[in-house]
Amino acid sequence: MGASKLFNKAKKAVQFSLKFFHKIVDKNFYRSIKYTSYYKKTKIDDRVIFYESFQGKSMIDSPYAIFKRLINDTNYKDYKHVWALNSRDNLYAQIYKGHKNVEFVKVHSDKYLKYLTAAKYLINNDAFPSYFQKKENQVYINTWHGTLSEAISKDLKEERGQLRNIQRNFLHTDYILNPNKRIANRLVESYGLEGIYAGNVVVEGYPRTDLTLSSNKEEIKEILTKSLNVDFNQKIILYAPTWKEETNNVEDISDKINELHSNIPIEYQLILKVHASLYERLKVNDSLREICIPEWIDTNELLSVVDILICDYSGIFYDFLITNRPIIFYLDNHEVCHSPDESSQDLKELPGPICTEINEVINEIADVKYYMDFYKNRREKMISAFCPYDDGNVTDRNIDIIFKSKHTKNVYPIKNDKKTILMYCGGFLNNGITTSAINLLNNLDYTKFNVVIVEKEKYDPVSTQNLKNLNHHVKKIYRIGSMNLTIREWLLHNFIVRKGLRNEKLHKHIPKQSYRRELLRLFGNVKFDIAIDFSGYVPFWSMLFAFSEFERKNIYQHNDMLSEYNKIINNKYKHRSNMNIIFPLYKYFDKVVSVAKNTRDLNVKNLPKFLPREKAVYVHNCIDANKILRQKNEEEIIINEQRDVASMNDLNDQEKLYKNRIIAPDENNINFVNMGRLSPEKDQKKLILAFSQLAKQHENIRLFIIGEGVLESELKKLSISLGLYDKVIFTGQLSNPFYFINKCDCFVLSSNHEGQPMVLLEAMILNKPIIATDIAGSRSVLRNGYGELVDNSVEGLIEGMDKFLKNKLPRKTFNYELYNIEALNMFYREVCDYNIQNMDNVNKGV
C-alpha cells in the first residue's frame, strides 16, 4: 500500500475516532443509547402506570384526574404510579410524595427512560420526547389538552411540520381521548390521521372536567390559600388571557390587568391564570405576583371555586361552561373584527357578553346576575355541542375503557380498507424526481389508496413550496429526532456508511433490527402495505425500506445509474459512496423500478451483479398536462433570487452582468430553449458550443437555458468567451417555466444520460419541436416520431438545430391523456400489484 493511501486511511480513522468521541460525550446521544438499552432489555410491568403532563412541568389536566381516581380506588391498590415531574416544589407533589406506590422522576433522567420502557400504561396530555417509541404490549393513552377551534385546525394543517412530534406521538397511541365527536374529527383531520391511525378514538369527554364538577372545594380553597393570598369571603373572578408570543405585548397586558384589578367591585377578588411564559414575566410586578396562580395548580380544580370567568376565545371557557356560572369574553377589537368566517359565527353564539375594552368588562361584572337567564339558550346549545359527556363520571368511563376493555359505542377505530402506501421522495428539491413525485401523487386514485410521504425534519423555502403543490389527500410525516441505537449498532451503521455494502460478507453485520426499530419510532402502530423508495439516491431511507417488513417494497431508478455512479462534480464522484450502499440493497426489494424501458434495459446490462432481471421493471412517469397548459398562458415569471449567490463569487465584473439578467423570447428571433440542472450530465456546455457555430451563420437565433446548478459560473464564462453574451440567456430557476418554453420555438436536450426526461414530455404537451441527444431515456420518449434524436456530440446538435432552421424536423401530436392512463396502470400493476379495471376517473386525482 502506497504512502498516500496509508495516510488517507489513517486520516479517516482519526476523523472517525473524533466523531465517535464527540458523539459519546453528547448528552442527547448518551440518552438515546441509554433509552435503547432499556427498550431492548427492560420487561414491561403490567402494574405500572406512567403519567406526564406538558413535558413534566406539573401534575395537572386529565392525567392528574385519572391518577386521582386510580390512587383512591381499591381495585388498583397494587398498581405503582410514576409521575414525570421536573420540580416537586408544589403542594400537589407534597401531598403524594409519602405514598409508597407513587414515585416522581425528572424528564430525561435514567429513571424516566427506564419507566418509559417498563410501564404497561403510558398517559400523556401532550407528547413524549422524540426518542420515545411504544413497545409491543404497552398501552399509550393520549388525553390531549385542548379544544380545537376552526382557526386552530386550519393552522395545524398549514403548519403541521412544526407539530411533527405530536403527530408522531398520536401514531403510537392506543387511545386518544376527546370531549366530543366534532373535536375528535377535527383532531384526526388536522394531524393527518385519516386512514392510517391504528388505535381507538374515544369520545367520552375529558377526564379533567370531573375535577371541576366533583372536587372537594374546601381542599382546593386550602391549597389556593397556602399558595397565594386568596380571600374566599369574597367572590372569585378568574381572568385567563391567552398568550400569543407573536402579537401580545407584556406591558399592554400588564396595564390591562392592573386596570381591571383596580376597578372590580369591592365584593370580588381577581386572580390570574396565564401561560407559563407570561407568568414568568408578570411575576416581576409586585401587585400582579400576588394574584398569579402558579402553573402547578390544576386549572379544572381551580374552576370549581371560581364565580366568574373572564377569558378570550380559548378552550378554558368550554371547561367552565358546565358550572353554569357567568363568563365574560374580553377580546381585542382586531380579533372581533377580523376573525375568519367560522370563528365570527362562533363568536355570535358565545354564552356571555363580548367586550373589547376594560371598562366594558367592569360594567358587565355588575350585571352578571342577569346572565344565567339571558344566555341560557346559548349556554345549553354550546354544552350540548361541546360538553355532552361532562357529567362528573367521565374519568370512570375512560378508566373502564382503558383498564377493563369495556368499550362503549363512543370508542371506534378510523382505519379503513384502502391500501396504504409509504413513500420517500428525495427531499422535494427542484429536480426531475420531485416533478415526477408530484405528478404521480396528484394523479393517484385516493378512493383506493392512502398515501403517506415521509421526509426530513427541516425544509428550505424551495422544498416547502414544492410540498404545497401536493394533492391535499397526501399525508405528510416528518422525521424528527434520530435513530435509537446501541453503541454496537451505531458503530456498524457508520461502518456501512463509510465502507458501503459491495462486499457481500458485510451484509451479515447489517444492523437490520435498528432500521426496523427506526420505522416503528417514526410511525408507531401504522401498518403500511407498500413502501416505495421513490428517490433511490439516499442510503438512509433505502436501508430503512430494504429491511422493513412491508408486504411490498420497491425502489426507483430515475436514471442510467452506472453513469450516475461515475458522475464527477468538482473533481469528486457525486454519487459513488451512496451507490456503493444502494446498489447492493436492490436484492432486498421486491421490484427495482426504472422510469423507461430503455433505461431499465441499460441498468440491467450495466449492473448485472446487483440487479436481477426478474426484479427489474419499468413504469413511466406521470405528467400534469392541465397544469402545463394552464401555466403556458400565465405571463408572470418568478425568478429564484438566490440562484446566483454561489455561482457569482468567482465572476469578474463583466461576467456579473449575467446576474438577474432576463430577456424574454422575441418573436422576431428564432429561440431555442433548454431546461435542466446546470450539471455535467445535462451537458449544456456541448449545447453552447454547438449553438456558437450556428450563431456565426444566423444573427437572429437565441438560446435560453432554464435552471441552476454547480456549472452556472463555468457556462456563463464559456458563453462570454465565445462572444454569445447577448445570445445565450440564463434565466435561473423559474416558478413557471412553461410560459417561457411556450414562447420559444424549439426545445433542445443535450443530456449525456437520463432516465425518462420529464422536460421532453412537457415540451411534447406544449407541442414544441424537439431535438435530443440519442441516449436511452430520450429514445424511450421520442422513438415514435415525437422529436429528432441526434448523435450525442456537438456535431449532432449542430445537425439537429440546422434541420429545425430548415424546417425539416418531424412533428407529431402527443396524446397525453392516454399516456397518463397507461402510466398510472403501469404504476398500479408493477409497483402496487393492483389492477384497476375502470380507469375513467383516475386521471382526475380524486
Side-chain angles (χ1 to χ4, degrees):
M1 185 181 292
S4 177
K5 287 187 176 181
L6 279 172
F7 175 77
N8 288 332
K9 190 171 183 180
K11 181 181 176 182
K12 289 180 180 178
V14 170
Q15 289 174 339
F16 181 76
S17 298
L18 288 172
K19 179 181 178 181
F20 180 70
F21 173 76
H22 287 304
K23 290 294 288 185
I24 206 68
V25 297
D26 179 82
K27 65 178 182 180
N28 292 324
F29 180 69
Y30 170 81
R31 181 187 301 144
S32 177
I33 295 292
K34 195 79 172 179
Y35 177 82
T36 306
S37 176
Y38 285 134
Y39 182 90
K40 294 183 70 174
K41 297 177 181 178
T42 306
K43 293 183 179 179
I44 295 173
D45 190 328
D46 290 343
R47 302 248 168 198
V48 174
I49 307 171
F50 188 87
Y51 306 85
E52 183 173 319
S53 286
F54 299 113
Q55 297 88 47
K57 293 177 182 177
S58 46
M59 284 177 71
I60 58 173
D61 207 65
S62 291
Y64 176 61
I66 295 172
F67 164 75
K68 283 195 74 173
R69 191 62 54 90
L70 291 176
I71 198 74
N72 294 310
D73 189 331
T74 56
N75 292 318
Y76 300 92
K77 61 182 175 59
D78 296 328
Y79 281 73
K80 182 172 185 176
H81 306 268
V82 180
W83 266 98
L85 195 62
N86 295 330
S87 173
R88 301 175 207 175
D89 187 22
N90 64 73
L91 291 179
Y92 285 6
Q94 297 301 316
I95 290 171
Y96 294 104
K97 72 175 184 178
H99 286 58
K100 64 180 181 180
N101 61 339
V102 177
E103 184 174 353
F104 298 101
V105 298
K106 288 187 176 182
V107 173
H108 303 316
S109 67
D110 280 4
K111 281 192 173 183
Y112 176 88
L113 303 179
K114 182 176 181 180
Y115 279 121
L116 202 54
T117 60
K120 172 73 172 182
Y121 300 96
L122 306 166
I123 303 175
N124 200 331
N125 76 338
D126 200 314
F128 290 117
S130 62
Y131 53 78
F132 163 77
Q133 57 186 110
K134 185 171 72 74
K135 294 169 68 172
E136 188 177 1
N137 297 322
Q138 282 187 307
V139 180
Y140 180 7
I141 305 97
N142 195 294
T143 69
W144 203 224
H145 59 264
T147 302
L148 301 171
S149 70
E150 295 283 358
I152 292 173
S153 177
K154 288 183 176 180
D155 289 343
L156 289 175
K157 291 182 73 175
E158 290 297 320
E159 305 296 334
R160 194 175 296 151
Q162 298 177 12
L163 301 163
R164 50 195 172 268
N165 190 42
I166 296 173
Q167 180 193 43
R168 190 189 70 86
N169 266 254
F170 281 146
L171 296 178
H172 283 264
T173 60
D174 298 282
Y175 299 97
I176 301 177
L177 309 191
N178 293 272
N180 55 70
K181 188 68 177 287
R182 177 181 177 183
I183 299 305
N185 291 342
R186 200 170 297 156
L187 185 143
V188 166
E189 178 188 1
S190 298
Y191 285 97
L193 307 181
E194 311 101 313
I196 63 172
Y197 177 62
N200 290 286
V201 175
V202 181
V203 186
E204 287 287 358
Y206 284 143
R208 70 185 188 203
T209 61
D210 289 352
L211 299 175
T212 300
L213 292 177
S214 308
S215 289
N216 185 319
K217 293 183 181 181
E218 295 307 314
E219 288 182 0
I220 305 306
K221 289 178 181 179
E222 182 180 352
I223 290 173
L224 288 170
T225 302
K226 288 180 179 179
S227 59
L228 73 163
N229 188 22
V230 180
D231 182 2
F232 284 99
N233 291 317
Q234 295 177 297
K235 292 184 178 180
I236 304 300
I237 296 176
L238 174 65
Y239 180 34
T242 300
W243 171 248
K244 304 180 185 72
E245 188 76 41
E246 68 280 4
T247 59
N248 285 169
N249 180 285
V250 175
E251 289 73 22
D252 288 345
I253 291 179
S254 297
D255 290 344
K256 291 175 182 178
I257 294 172
N258 278 321
E259 185 178 353
L260 180 62
H261 191 209
S262 303
N263 290 283
I264 61 171
I266 195 170
E267 67 269 25
Y268 291 100
Q269 178 169 342
L270 180 69
I271 57 176
L272 294 174
K273 182 66 175 175
V274 295
H275 189 274
S277 59
L278 182 57
Y279 177 76
E280 292 300 321
R281 302 184 196 195
L282 293 180
K283 281 200 308 183
V284 300
N285 185 311
D286 291 339
S287 61
L288 297 183
R289 183 173 63 247
E290 294 278 329
I291 61 173
C292 275
I293 299 293
E295 188 180 9
W296 56 264
I297 289 181
D298 181 77
T299 300
N300 289 84
E301 288 193 332
L302 172 64
L303 291 178
S304 70
V305 296
V306 167
D307 297 290
I308 299 173
L309 173 66
I310 301 172
C311 65
D312 48 27
Y313 189 55
S314 60
I316 191 171
F317 88 85
Y318 292 104
D319 286 9
F320 194 67
L321 268 177
I322 55 178
T323 66
N324 282 317
R325 298 176 199 145
I327 305 172
I328 299 172
F329 295 92
Y330 176 35
L331 286 68
D332 64 56
N333 197 54
H334 179 84
E335 192 172 1
V336 173
C337 297
H338 301 282
S339 296
D341 291 341
E342 299 94 336
S343 297
S344 298
Q345 182 61 38
D346 287 345
L347 292 179
K348 295 175 183 177
E349 302 297 325
L350 290 177
I354 298 174
C355 305
T356 59
E357 301 291 342
I358 285 292
N359 64 311
E360 294 177 15
V361 176
I362 302 298
N363 292 334
E364 293 294 347
I365 291 173
D367 292 332
V368 293
K369 57 183 177 292
Y370 303 112
Y371 289 175
M372 303 320 293
D373 289 333
F374 188 82
Y375 293 103
K376 179 181 179 182
N377 290 337
R378 288 193 197 177
R379 185 172 61 255
E380 290 177 350
K381 181 179 178 181
M382 190 158 279
I383 288 174
S384 177
F386 288 93
C387 317
Y389 306 104
D390 295 342
D391 56 2
N393 298 307
V394 175
T395 307
D396 287 338
R397 290 196 299 273
N398 279 289
I399 285 174
D400 284 347
I401 291 166
I402 296 162
F403 292 91
K404 299 179 182 178
S405 297
K406 292 184 176 180
H407 289 191
T408 68
K409 64 180 181 180
N410 294 321
V411 180
Y412 57 92
I414 57 173
K415 178 83 173 166
N416 56 41
D417 57 359
K418 297 180 186 178
K419 290 279 187 180
T420 301
I421 299 173
L422 173 66
M423 292 179 65
Y424 171 68
C425 298
F428 284 89
L429 309 171
N430 274 336
N431 57 35
I433 293 176
T434 292
T435 302
S436 302
I438 292 173
N439 289 346
L440 172 63
L441 291 168
N442 287 348
N443 277 283
L444 286 181
D445 184 353
Y446 290 97
T447 67
K448 295 177 174 64
F449 296 95
N450 292 308
V451 179
V452 175
I453 62 163
V454 58
E455 284 295 343
K456 60 190 177 186
E457 180 180 352
K458 295 180 181 178
Y459 274 86
D460 56 31
V462 170
S463 301
T464 300
Q465 183 57 49
N466 284 328
L467 281 166
K468 289 181 179 179
N469 293 328
L470 286 177
N471 187 292
H472 69 278
H473 287 98
V474 177
K475 299 166 181 63
K476 308 178 192 75
I477 295 178
Y478 299 85
R479 181 175 182 253
I480 181 173
S482 56
M483 284 197 292
N484 290 323
L485 300 167
T486 64
I487 291 290
R488 180 178 182 275
E489 289 170 341
W490 185 87
L491 290 170
L492 286 172
H493 173 69
N494 279 272
F495 182 78
I496 288 169
V497 169
R498 288 189 302 120
K499 291 291 187 181
L501 288 168
R502 293 178 72 100
N503 185 339
E504 189 68 28
K505 293 179 180 179
L506 292 179
H507 286 237
K508 65 182 179 180
H509 299 297
I510 296 172
K512 299 177 183 178
Q513 287 301 322
S514 65
Y515 302 135
R516 292 168 185 158
R517 192 187 313 127
E518 174 66 358
L519 284 170
L520 289 173
R521 186 185 73 86
L522 293 175
F523 306 115
N525 301 327
V526 181
K527 303 299 180 187
F528 293 104
D529 301 297
I530 304 163
I532 305 170
D533 180 358
F534 193 78
S535 165
Y537 280 87
V538 183
F540 174 80
W541 293 105
S542 298
M543 287 190 285
L544 256 62
F545 285 20
F547 302 113
S548 65
E549 297 175 343
F550 303 121
E551 289 181 16
R552 291 179 65 82
K553 46 194 175 187
N554 311 284
I555 186 169
Y556 265 68
Q557 295 177 319
H558 289 274
N559 223 314
D560 168 359
M561 300 309 294
L562 183 59
S563 295
E564 287 288 273
Y565 183 81
N566 291 319
K567 182 163 72 175
I568 297 175
I569 295 179
N570 295 329
N571 297 316
K572 292 183 179 179
Y573 289 104
K574 180 175 175 60
H575 297 301
R576 182 159 289 189
S577 62
N578 285 352
M579 293 305 139
N580 281 334
I581 299 172
I582 293 173
F583 287 168
L585 292 176
Y586 285 161
K587 69 177 184 178
Y588 297 103
F589 286 87
D590 296 301
K591 295 284 182 70
V592 181
V593 186
S594 290
V595 290
K597 180 180 184 300
N598 292 49
T599 304
R600 188 273 312 270
D601 294 343
L602 189 61
N603 285 330
V604 170
K605 176 184 175 182
N606 290 340
L607 303 172
K609 181 179 178 182
F610 305 111
L611 183 54
R613 180 64 183 82
E614 63 273 13
K615 286 193 175 187
V617 299
Y618 68 94
V619 172
H620 290 157
N621 288 314
C622 288
I623 52 179
D624 190 345
N626 291 333
K627 173 187 174 183
I628 293 168
L629 295 174
R630 182 182 71 251
Q631 289 191 345
K632 77 172 187 176
N633 298 315
E634 294 176 358
E635 295 189 17
E636 182 180 7
I637 301 172
I638 300 173
I639 302 161
N640 182 347
E641 296 295 342
Q642 298 180 359
R643 66 185 176 84
D644 287 292
V645 173
S647 62
M648 303 311 292
N649 293 334
D650 60 344
L651 296 181
N652 60 37
D653 291 339
Q654 181 188 9
E655 292 159 355
K656 287 180 182 178
L657 292 172
Y658 260 126
K659 185 174 183 179
N660 293 332
R661 171 180 171 273
I662 301 296
I663 300 174
D666 186 336
E667 62 183 15
N668 294 316
N669 293 325
I670 298 173
N671 302 296
F672 293 96
V673 62
N674 168 277
M675 183 166 72
R677 288 189 310 279
L678 308 186
S679 182
E681 76 277 11
K682 304 297 182 182
D683 206 355
Q684 286 94 350
K685 177 181 179 180
K686 181 172 60 196
L687 175 58
I688 292 170
L689 291 172
F691 178 81
S692 71
Q693 296 300 312
L694 291 169
K696 294 175 183 178
Q697 306 169 30
H698 303 276
E699 178 62 31
N700 67 329
I701 66 172
R702 301 290 184 269
L703 173 61
F704 293 85
I705 297 178
I706 302 171
E708 59 187 2
V710 294
L711 297 184
E712 182 170 352
S713 174
E714 180 182 325
L715 294 173
K716 287 178 177 178
K717 287 179 179 179
L718 174 64
S719 298
I720 292 169
S721 70
L722 293 171
L724 300 174
Y725 169 72
D726 58 344
K727 293 188 176 182
V728 177
I729 297 93
F730 294 85
T731 71
Q733 192 75 29
L734 301 180
S735 65
N736 176 14
F738 306 118
Y739 172 78
F740 214 94
I741 293 172
N742 195 53
K743 288 292 182 182
C744 292
D745 301 293
C746 179
F747 188 90
V748 187
L749 190 69
S750 53
S751 297
N752 295 323
H753 64 269
E754 294 271 2
Q756 185 197 27
M758 294 296 297
V759 288
L760 293 186
L761 294 169
E762 292 160 350
M764 287 159 60
I765 291 170
L766 293 171
N767 199 29
K768 290 290 148 183
I770 296 172
I771 301 163
T773 47
D774 190 4
I775 56 175
S778 299
R779 199 177 310 126
S780 293
V781 177
L782 301 180
R783 67 182 185 276
N784 291 323
Y786 291 105
E788 181 78 3
L789 289 167
V790 300
D791 185 69
N792 185 15
S793 64
V794 172
E795 292 73 20
L797 289 170
I798 292 173
E799 181 181 346
M801 288 190 285
D802 186 58
K803 265 184 127 176
F804 172 75
L805 293 172
K806 293 176 180 177
N807 200 27
K808 293 183 179 180
L809 283 192
R811 298 286 293 272
K812 183 178 179 180
T813 302
F814 177 44
N815 188 337
Y816 49 80
E817 291 180 343
L818 178 61
Y819 168 88
N820 230 24
I821 290 174
E822 290 175 347
L824 279 169
N825 268 323
M826 295 169 79
F827 175 80
Y828 293 135
R829 181 178 64 252
E830 299 291 355
V831 177
C832 304
D833 192 29
Y834 192 87
N835 288 314
I836 297 180
Q837 300 301 319
N838 184 1
M839 300 299 297
D840 292 342
N841 294 318
V842 167
N843 236 32
K844 300 176 182 177
V846 177

